[in-house]
Amino acid sequence: MPSTAGPAGTRAAAAAPTASGPGGSDYTYRLPLAAYSYSDAEYAVIESAQRILARDCMKGFGLSYPPVRKSTSGAISDRRYGISDMAVAARYGYHLPPQPRDPAPELDAAQRDVLYGKKSAFHGKAVPDAGCLGSAVRKLAKPYAYPAGVTAASTISAEGFRASMRDRRVRALFARWSACMKGKGYRYASPLDPFRDPAFTAGRVTARERRTATADMACKERTGLLESWLSAEAGIQRGMIRKRITVLRRLRDLHRHKVSAARRIVSGT
C-alpha cells in the first residue's frame, strides 16, 4: 500500500505492518487489503522474536545481546490520502510527527561485528551473512515465504490506489477540495500536491506550512474527501481481491502461522 510515511511511497502490503488500528485517520488499516497484512502489534511480535533468535546466535560466539522487546507505540501517521489529522497538521504541517524509538542496547565493536555481519569471521568462526540479526530474520521468514502472495497484495495496493485517483467521484471531490483551497489563497489541484513542495518535507516546520496544512484539512473536512476516497478505493480493492482470493487466503494463513511461531519464541515455549 502507499506508505503511511507519504502519499507518493509504496508500502509492501502484507509484507509489512499496516497502520496501528481501526478508526480515525488510519485509512490504510481500514481498507479491505489490511485483512491480509500484519498489524503493527503482529509485526512487533515478529521483530521481538527476531531479536531473541539473534541473541541465541550471539551466544554461539560467546557474546551477549539483550533482545529489547519491540514496542507498538507511536505508529506512523497515516498519509495514504495526504495529511488526515487536524491536530497533527496544526503542529507538524506536512512533516511526520517525531516517532518514539525503542531503547538501543549499547554494543561494543565485537558485538556489532557479529550482530550485523561487519566481518566474515569472529575468532575463527564464520559469521552468518548479514550477521546474527540477518540470520534471525531469515530463520523466522523462510518457512512462511510466499512471494506470489506478497506480489499479489502489493499489486492490489498500488494499482488500487492509482485506480482510485482516476475514479470520477474522487476526481470530483478533488475539484471541490481545490476550489475550497483556492478560496483560502492556495492553488493545488490535488491533496497530494503540497507534498511536492520541498519546503514542506525538508527542514523545519514553518508557520506557512502549518497554515497550508490546516487549510488543507479544513477543506478535506468540508468536502468529506477522506471518507469518500476511502470508500471508493475500498470498492476497487474488493473487486481486485475477489480475483486473487485463493492466493491471498494462503498468504493470510502463512502470516498467522508466522505470528504464532514468533509468539512461541517470545514466550519461550
Side-chain angles (χ1 to χ4, degrees), residues 65-103:
Y65 170 64
V68 178
R69 182 166 294 192
K70 175 69 177 177
S71 170
T72 58
S73 63
I76 295 175
S77 178
D78 194 303
R79 300 294 176 90
R80 188 171 189 84
Y81 305 136
I83 54 173
S84 56
D85 185 288
M86 178 62 87
V88 172
R91 185 171 182 182
Y92 299 105
Y94 293 93
H95 283 66
L96 284 172
Q99 300 299 307
R101 296 185 178 183
D102 296 326

Side-chain angles (χ1 to χ4, degrees), residues 168-211:
R168 61 179 180 80
R169 295 164 295 172
V170 175
R171 302 288 301 177
L173 285 165
F174 280 8
R176 290 175 56 195
W177 174 89
S178 181
C180 176
M181 289 292 281
K182 186 176 181 180
K184 296 177 182 291
Y186 302 97
R187 293 184 177 275
Y188 294 112
S190 156
L192 305 187
D193 286 349
F195 288 90
R196 299 186 177 98
D197 187 339
F200 291 169
T201 55
R204 295 184 176 181
V205 181
T206 63
R208 171 175 167 262
E209 179 182 347
R210 292 190 184 96
R211 288 194 299 270

Side-chain angles (χ1 to χ4, degrees), residues 13-15 146-157 244 247-248 251:
Y146 187 34
V150 173
T151 297
S154 296
T155 298
I156 290 171
S157 176
R244 297 169 172 84
V247 171
L248 290 173
L251 179 67

